Amino acid sequence: MKTSLWAAAILLGITAVTAHARRPLQTETSEQQASAPNKATFSYFEYTGNDARFNVPVDPAKQYLNPIVAGFWPDPSICRKGDDFYMVNSTFGYFPGVPIFHSKDLVNWTPLGHVLNRNSQLDLTGLRHSRGIYAPAIEYNPHNDTFYMITTSTDGAWNFVVKTKDPHSGVWSDPIRLPEVFDIDPSFFFDDDGKAYIVHRTDPPLLKFPNHKMIVLREYDIENDCTTGEMTVLVEEGLNWLPRPQYIEGPHIYNIDGRYHLIAAEGGTWEQHAEVALTANNIKGPYKSNPVNPILTQRDLPENRPDKVTTTGHLDFLQDAKGEWWGVFLACRPYEGNYYNTGRETFLLPVEWKDGYPVILEKGRAVPTIVAKNDLRPNTGYPYLTGNFTWRDEFDTDALDFEWSFIRNPRGEWWRQANGKMVIDALPRSIYTMDNPAYLGKRQQHQVFEAETIIDFVPAASGELAGMAYFQNERFNFVFGKTILNGQQTITLDRTEDGVTHRLVAISVPAGNEQTLLRLKISVNSDKGSFFIAYNDANWQAVAEGIDVRNLSTHAAGGFVGATIGMYATSTVTPPLPNIPTW
Ligand code: 6LW
């Protein structure tokens, strides 16, 4: 019975995915039916990253660069089936949700698409930008040859599972909801005896100190896809080196030669972040803190270290087919202090075993940028995940590029990609409100980058604007484009910080250029941004330079996402809503 229902879900999924690959699922919205909106046509979008950290000699046959996935790709989780590795990351308020990558060497990764690519799997409508999809975890169950992805849509469906027999198919089941799993960071553990478990963070019955959380275990019925039995508390407080672990979360369990290893993040996903490890002889404990904890942190290192990496934690590790152990974890690359606009990124390091206990980095060691690894397969992965590169989309395929994300579920058919053009409707939706604005963004992956595009847009009515946005969330962003002011076509640049918008630039379009194609460029170097325009193929002219872009840092904006840059069109000047939460 289950199989046939599942097969039906897969069939439905294939139909839906095919539909979504070219079009959002929704029909046109009323605002689109009311009157044909003005349209902005983009002919290309180009992003170039150039971080000094990546301008180093690397032998791709035996070395790799950290981060292995640069930009806002947090909360990594990996699994292995034979020689194939798979990795997922969190996506919060962006749709589609949960990117999935494939690799043969844990370094060269290829995106397979997104696990949650159907509205029936993920509804982010109305959610704050840093809510939605928190930490996903992917696991392969050899006992039924099935892949499971479990995650939390905070303030949405909360905890749920989707599964597939083939991660390359692009089709995962509809969500199997787990209402009894309360709070965040669930992950699966499939034991050697075929038993299945979910381990996750939850609130303790009694808060004994600030940010007090606990780690619990539930048995999972694979046949009926539901939890069963009683919840077992694995960690409530008191790690040998830390009697009051704060934000203990992101747990994973491994059975290694009959001993159970439990790892978890601690300290909160900011500068105090760390990873701890415990061990037990029984899956249900008692778990004892390992003699060496934390097994990974950067919180006690000197501030002025070169190529500083902070916020290390949220580890997941595995053994490869040759018996080596490797772990992925999240970390950040501040450009000064604790300011970073690139969000929490994915790093890779080997797991060292000391007297039978796992260690990633011994106390006092900094995360290295270049790491040695044999068995690498150079140039087999997608070339836009780390290092310096130029990425360009000329919209000459019939499917949206993997890099593009919507803010919440796309509502209505406001984007059309065909014949080398991306046409976006100027909708009466503002990027300053918790809606689905007509915005498509790609992740900022470097501290030093440039992004440019060219638009064909003739604003007609007051409020109509099209151009670029550089976006952290609805209250922290830049909007840079062409609009109408006092009946005159005008180039504007607006900087919004904590919901307060300042217009930095308002330059009239010279007579005769109203119909001319307009090129826009944003150039950022750490905390400073410069903004340029050019009419058709004329030279670039700066309209603003040395602008403080720290408003797009996590430090300023809060939340769990990194900045994105992209194409935006609107027909409304709705200002930021007062006091909507930033995350
Ligand atoms: C995630 C938690 C964390 O659920 O941050 O870094 C939360 N660790 O494990 C959101 O990413």
mmCIF file of all heavy atoms in Angstrom, residues 63-94:
data_model
loop_
_atom_site.group_PDB
_atom_site.id
_atom_site.type_symbol
_atom_site.label_atom_id
_atom_site.label_comp_id
_atom_site.label_asym_id
_atom_site.label_seq_id
_atom_site.Cartn_x
_atom_site.Cartn_y
_atom_site.Cartn_z
ATOM 1 N N GLN A 63 45.522 18.860 -3.466
ATOM 2 C CA GLN A 63 45.195 19.893 -2.478
ATOM 3 C C GLN A 63 43.826 20.493 -2.833
ATOM 4 O O GLN A 63 43.431 20.489 -4.009
ATOM 5 C CB GLN A 63 46.234 21.032 -2.520
ATOM 6 C CG GLN A 63 47.625 20.646 -2.113
ATOM 7 C CD GLN A 63 48.596 21.808 -2.326
ATOM 8 O OE1 GLN A 63 48.565 22.468 -3.383
ATOM 9 N NE2 GLN A 63 49.412 22.081 -1.328
ATOM 10 N N TYR A 64 43.174 21.061 -1.807
ATOM 11 C CA TYR A 64 41.919 21.760 -2.081
ATOM 12 C C TYR A 64 41.840 23.013 -1.219
ATOM 13 O O TYR A 64 42.600 23.175 -0.249
ATOM 14 C CB TYR A 64 40.715 20.839 -1.840
ATOM 15 C CG TYR A 64 40.471 20.487 -0.389
ATOM 16 C CD1 TYR A 64 39.713 21.307 0.442
ATOM 17 C CD2 TYR A 64 41.015 19.324 0.162
ATOM 18 C CE1 TYR A 64 39.504 20.992 1.776
ATOM 19 C CE2 TYR A 64 40.804 18.990 1.491
ATOM 20 C CZ TYR A 64 40.048 19.833 2.288
ATOM 21 O OH TYR A 64 39.860 19.509 3.610
ATOM 22 N N LEU A 65 40.912 23.901 -1.600
ATOM 23 C CA LEU A 65 40.727 25.172 -0.903
ATOM 24 C C LEU A 65 39.530 25.094 0.036
ATOM 25 O O LEU A 65 38.486 24.533 -0.315
ATOM 26 C CB LEU A 65 40.433 26.286 -1.925
ATOM 27 C CG LEU A 65 41.597 26.859 -2.721
ATOM 28 C CD1 LEU A 65 41.065 27.797 -3.805
ATOM 29 C CD2 LEU A 65 42.569 27.610 -1.813
ATOM 30 N N ASN A 66 39.692 25.664 1.221
ATOM 31 C CA ASN A 66 38.549 25.900 2.115
ATOM 32 C C ASN A 66 38.143 27.364 1.997
ATOM 33 O O ASN A 66 39.022 28.242 1.942
ATOM 34 C CB ASN A 66 38.950 25.614 3.571
ATOM 35 C CG ASN A 66 38.551 24.215 3.999
ATOM 36 O OD1 ASN A 66 37.497 23.719 3.591
ATOM 37 N ND2 ASN A 66 39.364 23.592 4.816
ATOM 38 N N PRO A 67 36.853 27.683 2.059
ATOM 39 C CA PRO A 67 35.699 26.775 2.066
ATOM 40 C C PRO A 67 35.567 26.001 0.765
ATOM 41 O O PRO A 67 35.908 26.511 -0.286
ATOM 42 C CB PRO A 67 34.509 27.715 2.270
ATOM 43 C CG PRO A 67 34.967 29.016 1.699
ATOM 44 C CD PRO A 67 36.431 29.098 1.976
ATOM 45 N N ILE A 68 35.051 24.787 0.856
ATOM 46 C CA ILE A 68 34.825 23.984 -0.360
ATOM 47 C C ILE A 68 33.574 24.486 -1.080
ATOM 48 O O ILE A 68 33.424 24.284 -2.278
ATOM 49 C CB ILE A 68 34.677 22.473 -0.053
ATOM 50 C CG1 ILE A 68 33.602 22.220 1.011
ATOM 51 C CG2 ILE A 68 36.012 21.862 0.352
ATOM 52 C CD1 ILE A 68 33.217 20.746 1.145
ATOM 53 N N VAL A 69 32.679 25.135 -0.331
ATOM 54 C CA VAL A 69 31.506 25.762 -0.944
ATOM 55 C C VAL A 69 31.377 27.147 -0.323
ATOM 56 O O VAL A 69 30.963 27.279 0.836
ATOM 57 C CB VAL A 69 30.210 24.946 -0.721
ATOM 58 C CG1 VAL A 69 29.064 25.548 -1.536
ATOM 59 C CG2 VAL A 69 30.402 23.485 -1.105
ATOM 60 N N ALA A 70 31.780 28.163 -1.105
ATOM 61 C CA ALA A 70 31.842 29.541 -0.594
ATOM 62 C C ALA A 70 30.485 30.232 -0.757
ATOM 63 O O ALA A 70 29.750 29.972 -1.707
ATOM 64 C CB ALA A 70 32.905 30.320 -1.351
ATOM 65 N N GLY A 71 30.178 31.082 0.226
ATOM 66 C CA GLY A 71 28.895 31.786 0.198
ATOM 67 C C GLY A 71 27.900 31.105 1.108
ATOM 68 O O GLY A 71 28.187 30.082 1.748
ATOM 69 N N PHE A 72 26.719 31.612 1.132
ATOM 70 C CA PHE A 72 25.666 31.204 2.070
ATOM 71 C C PHE A 72 25.192 29.776 1.784
ATOM 72 O O PHE A 72 24.188 29.536 1.116
ATOM 73 C CB PHE A 72 24.548 32.251 1.957
ATOM 74 C CG PHE A 72 23.181 31.804 2.330
ATOM 75 C CD1 PHE A 72 22.919 31.206 3.553
ATOM 76 C CD2 PHE A 72 22.128 32.005 1.452
ATOM 77 C CE1 PHE A 72 21.639 30.814 3.886
ATOM 78 C CE2 PHE A 72 20.833 31.620 1.788
ATOM 79 C CZ PHE A 72 20.583 31.023 3.004
ATOM 80 N N TRP A 73 25.954 28.803 2.236
ATOM 81 C CA TRP A 73 25.616 27.372 2.147
ATOM 82 C C TRP A 73 25.888 26.782 3.530
ATOM 83 O O TRP A 73 26.897 26.115 3.747
ATOM 84 C CB TRP A 73 26.464 26.659 1.104
ATOM 85 C CG TRP A 73 26.506 27.269 -0.260
ATOM 86 C CD1 TRP A 73 27.450 28.149 -0.752
ATOM 87 C CD2 TRP A 73 25.562 27.066 -1.332
ATOM 88 N NE1 TRP A 73 27.149 28.491 -2.044
ATOM 89 C CE2 TRP A 73 25.995 27.856 -2.423
ATOM 90 C CE3 TRP A 73 24.403 26.309 -1.471
ATOM 91 C CZ2 TRP A 73 25.303 27.895 -3.640
ATOM 92 C CZ3 TRP A 73 23.717 26.347 -2.673
ATOM 93 C CH2 TRP A 73 24.167 27.132 -3.733
ATOM 94 N N PRO A 74 25.030 27.069 4.512
ATOM 95 C CA PRO A 74 25.317 26.693 5.902
ATOM 96 C C PRO A 74 24.828 25.289 6.246
ATOM 97 O O PRO A 74 24.203 24.608 5.425
ATOM 98 C CB PRO A 74 24.534 27.723 6.718
ATOM 99 C CG PRO A 74 23.621 28.421 5.779
ATOM 100 C CD PRO A 74 23.826 27.885 4.407
ATOM 101 N N ASP A 75 25.159 24.890 7.505
ATOM 102 C CA ASP A 75 24.601 23.657 8.077
ATOM 103 C C ASP A 75 24.784 22.456 7.169
ATOM 104 O O ASP A 75 23.837 21.755 6.835
ATOM 105 C CB ASP A 75 23.105 23.841 8.370
ATOM 106 C CG ASP A 75 22.844 25.012 9.298
ATOM 107 O OD1 ASP A 75 23.618 25.180 10.254
ATOM 108 O OD2 ASP A 75 21.890 25.768 9.047
ATOM 109 N N PRO A 76 26.000 22.173 6.701
ATOM 110 C CA PRO A 76 26.186 21.052 5.760
ATOM 111 C C PRO A 76 25.933 19.704 6.433
ATOM 112 O O PRO A 76 26.181 19.520 7.611
ATOM 113 C CB PRO A 76 27.650 21.176 5.339
ATOM 114 C CG PRO A 76 28.316 21.816 6.518
ATOM 115 C CD PRO A 76 27.314 22.777 7.077
ATOM 116 N N SER A 77 25.405 18.760 5.639
ATOM 117 C CA SER A 77 25.273 17.369 6.073
ATOM 118 C C SER A 77 25.644 16.490 4.890
ATOM 119 O O SER A 77 25.294 16.816 3.754
ATOM 120 C CB SER A 77 23.838 17.078 6.518
ATOM 121 O OG SER A 77 23.648 15.688 6.766
ATOM 122 N N ILE A 78 26.387 15.412 5.153
ATOM 123 C CA ILE A 78 26.841 14.552 4.056
ATOM 124 C C ILE A 78 26.507 13.092 4.342
ATOM 125 O O ILE A 78 26.313 12.704 5.488
ATOM 126 C CB ILE A 78 28.376 14.656 3.830
ATOM 127 C CG1 ILE A 78 29.154 14.516 5.156
ATOM 128 C CG2 ILE A 78 28.734 15.916 3.095
ATOM 129 C CD1 ILE A 78 30.667 14.551 4.970
ATOM 130 N N CYS A 79 26.422 12.308 3.270
ATOM 131 C CA CYS A 79 26.279 10.864 3.407
ATOM 132 C C CYS A 79 26.984 10.208 2.231
ATOM 133 O O CYS A 79 27.398 10.891 1.286
ATOM 134 C CB CYS A 79 24.813 10.435 3.467
ATOM 135 S SG CYS A 79 23.937 10.543 1.901
ATOM 136 N N ARG A 80 27.122 8.870 2.287
ATOM 137 C CA ARG A 80 27.827 8.153 1.241
ATOM 138 C C ARG A 80 27.060 6.887 0.888
ATOM 139 O O ARG A 80 26.537 6.217 1.780
ATOM 140 C CB ARG A 80 29.232 7.759 1.699
ATOM 141 C CG ARG A 80 30.009 6.912 0.719
ATOM 142 C CD ARG A 80 31.464 6.730 1.119
ATOM 143 N NE ARG A 80 31.626 5.833 2.245
ATOM 144 C CZ ARG A 80 31.794 4.507 2.139
ATOM 145 N NH1 ARG A 80 31.713 3.920 0.942
ATOM 146 N NH2 ARG A 80 31.981 3.763 3.213
ATOM 147 N N LYS A 81 27.015 6.588 -0.424
ATOM 148 C CA LYS A 81 26.551 5.284 -0.907
ATOM 149 C C LYS A 81 27.617 4.791 -1.878
ATOM 150 O O LYS A 81 27.785 5.406 -2.958
ATOM 151 C CB LYS A 81 25.198 5.367 -1.599
ATOM 152 C CG LYS A 81 24.762 4.024 -2.201
ATOM 153 C CD LYS A 81 23.461 4.117 -2.983
ATOM 154 C CE LYS A 81 23.114 2.768 -3.613
ATOM 155 N NZ LYS A 81 21.863 2.877 -4.448
ATOM 156 N N GLY A 82 28.384 3.776 -1.487
ATOM 157 C CA GLY A 82 29.482 3.307 -2.326
ATOM 158 C C GLY A 82 30.508 4.403 -2.487
ATOM 159 O O GLY A 82 31.006 4.950 -1.507
ATOM 160 N N ASP A 83 30.811 4.773 -3.742
ATOM 161 C CA ASP A 83 31.802 5.827 -4.007
ATOM 162 C C ASP A 83 31.159 7.194 -4.163
ATOM 163 O O ASP A 83 31.836 8.160 -4.519
ATOM 164 C CB ASP A 83 32.560 5.513 -5.308
ATOM 165 C CG ASP A 83 33.435 4.281 -5.151
ATOM 166 O OD1 ASP A 83 33.811 4.004 -3.977
ATOM 167 O OD2 ASP A 83 33.707 3.601 -6.148
ATOM 168 N N ASP A 84 29.862 7.281 -3.969
ATOM 169 C CA ASP A 84 29.138 8.541 -4.203
ATOM 170 C C ASP A 84 28.837 9.248 -2.892
ATOM 171 O O ASP A 84 28.296 8.637 -1.959
ATOM 172 C CB ASP A 84 27.832 8.265 -4.945
ATOM 173 C CG ASP A 84 28.088 7.716 -6.339
ATOM 174 O OD1 ASP A 84 28.761 8.429 -7.123
ATOM 175 O OD2 ASP A 84 27.672 6.585 -6.624
ATOM 176 N N PHE A 85 29.207 10.542 -2.865
ATOM 177 C CA PHE A 85 28.911 11.367 -1.692
ATOM 178 C C PHE A 85 27.796 12.352 -2.053
ATOM 179 O O PHE A 85 27.734 12.828 -3.195
ATOM 180 C CB PHE A 85 30.164 12.156 -1.284
ATOM 181 C CG PHE A 85 31.342 11.305 -0.911
ATOM 182 C CD1 PHE A 85 32.398 11.130 -1.794
ATOM 183 C CD2 PHE A 85 31.400 10.674 0.329
ATOM 184 C CE1 PHE A 85 33.493 10.349 -1.454
ATOM 185 C CE2 PHE A 85 32.490 9.886 0.676
ATOM 186 C CZ PHE A 85 33.537 9.721 -0.218
ATOM 187 N N TYR A 86 26.966 12.674 -1.069
ATOM 188 C CA TYR A 86 25.896 13.650 -1.273
ATOM 189 C C TYR A 86 25.925 14.641 -0.122
ATOM 190 O O TYR A 86 26.227 14.259 1.021
ATOM 191 C CB TYR A 86 24.536 12.948 -1.348
ATOM 192 C CG TYR A 86 24.458 11.989 -2.506
ATOM 193 C CD1 TYR A 86 24.817 10.645 -2.348
ATOM 194 C CD2 TYR A 86 24.083 12.415 -3.780
ATOM 195 C CE1 TYR A 86 24.805 9.760 -3.418
ATOM 196 C CE2 TYR A 86 24.055 11.539 -4.857
ATOM 197 C CZ TYR A 86 24.427 10.216 -4.669
ATOM 198 O OH TYR A 86 24.419 9.350 -5.737
ATOM 199 N N MET A 87 25.622 15.895 -0.406
ATOM 200 C CA MET A 87 25.654 16.939 0.620
ATOM 201 C C MET A 87 24.448 17.854 0.449
ATOM 202 O O MET A 87 24.030 18.139 -0.678
ATOM 203 C CB MET A 87 26.935 17.773 0.516
ATOM 204 C CG MET A 87 27.038 18.888 1.547
ATOM 205 S SD MET A 87 28.693 19.596 1.618
ATOM 206 C CE MET A 87 28.766 20.418 0.025
ATOM 207 N N VAL A 88 23.888 18.293 1.568
ATOM 208 C CA VAL A 88 22.771 19.255 1.562
ATOM 209 C C VAL A 88 23.119 20.419 2.484
ATOM 210 O O VAL A 88 23.986 20.312 3.356
ATOM 211 C CB VAL A 88 21.459 18.592 2.023
ATOM 212 C CG1 VAL A 88 20.972 17.546 1.031
ATOM 213 C CG2 VAL A 88 21.602 18.009 3.421
ATOM 214 N N ASN A 89 22.433 21.565 2.254
ATOM 215 C CA ASN A 89 22.623 22.766 3.065
ATOM 216 C C ASN A 89 21.263 23.399 3.353
ATOM 217 O O ASN A 89 20.270 23.092 2.687
ATOM 218 C CB ASN A 89 23.487 23.793 2.314
ATOM 219 C CG ASN A 89 24.870 23.275 2.006
ATOM 220 O OD1 ASN A 89 25.103 22.733 0.926
ATOM 221 N ND2 ASN A 89 25.792 23.429 2.943
ATOM 222 N N SER A 90 21.257 24.330 4.307
ATOM 223 C CA SER A 90 19.996 24.981 4.677
ATOM 224 C C SER A 90 19.760 26.210 3.803
ATOM 225 O O SER A 90 20.692 26.777 3.239
ATOM 226 C CB SER A 90 20.018 25.377 6.154
ATOM 227 O OG SER A 90 21.219 26.038 6.477
ATOM 228 N N THR A 91 18.489 26.623 3.703
ATOM 229 C CA THR A 91 18.142 27.709 2.795
ATOM 230 C C THR A 91 17.144 28.723 3.373
ATOM 231 O O THR A 91 16.811 29.696 2.714
ATOM 232 C CB THR A 91 17.534 27.133 1.499
ATOM 233 O OG1 THR A 91 16.653 26.044 1.832
ATOM 234 C CG2 THR A 91 18.608 26.614 0.567
ATOM 235 N N PHE A 92 16.613 28.477 4.566
ATOM 236 C CA PHE A 92 15.774 29.449 5.282
ATOM 237 C C PHE A 92 14.616 29.930 4.407
ATOM 238 O O PHE A 92 13.822 29.110 3.954
ATOM 239 C CB PHE A 92 16.667 30.569 5.836
ATOM 240 C CG PHE A 92 17.698 29.998 6.754
ATOM 241 C CD1 PHE A 92 18.956 29.659 6.296
ATOM 242 C CD2 PHE A 92 17.383 29.709 8.071
ATOM 243 C CE1 PHE A 92 19.898 29.069 7.130
ATOM 244 C CE2 PHE A 92 18.318 29.124 8.911
ATOM 245 C CZ PHE A 92 19.561 28.798 8.437
ATOM 246 N N GLY A 93 14.529 31.255 4.150
ATOM 247 C CA GLY A 93 13.374 31.793 3.442
ATOM 248 C C GLY A 93 13.498 31.768 1.942
ATOM 249 O O GLY A 93 12.651 32.341 1.240
ATOM 250 N N TYR A 94 14.534 31.152 1.420
ATOM 251 C CA TYR A 94 14.707 31.090 -0.035
ATOM 252 C C TYR A 94 14.045 29.829 -0.599
ATOM 253 O O TYR A 94 14.041 28.778 0.038
ATOM 254 C CB TYR A 94 16.191 31.107 -0.407
ATOM 255 C CG TYR A 94 16.837 32.475 -0.320
ATOM 256 C CD1 TYR A 94 17.722 32.793 0.700
ATOM 257 C CD2 TYR A 94 16.537 33.467 -1.264
ATOM 258 C CE1 TYR A 94 18.309 34.054 0.783
ATOM 259 C CE2 TYR A 94 17.115 34.725 -1.192
ATOM 260 C CZ TYR A 94 17.993 35.009 -0.173
ATOM 261 O OH TYR A 94 18.557 36.264 -0.092
#
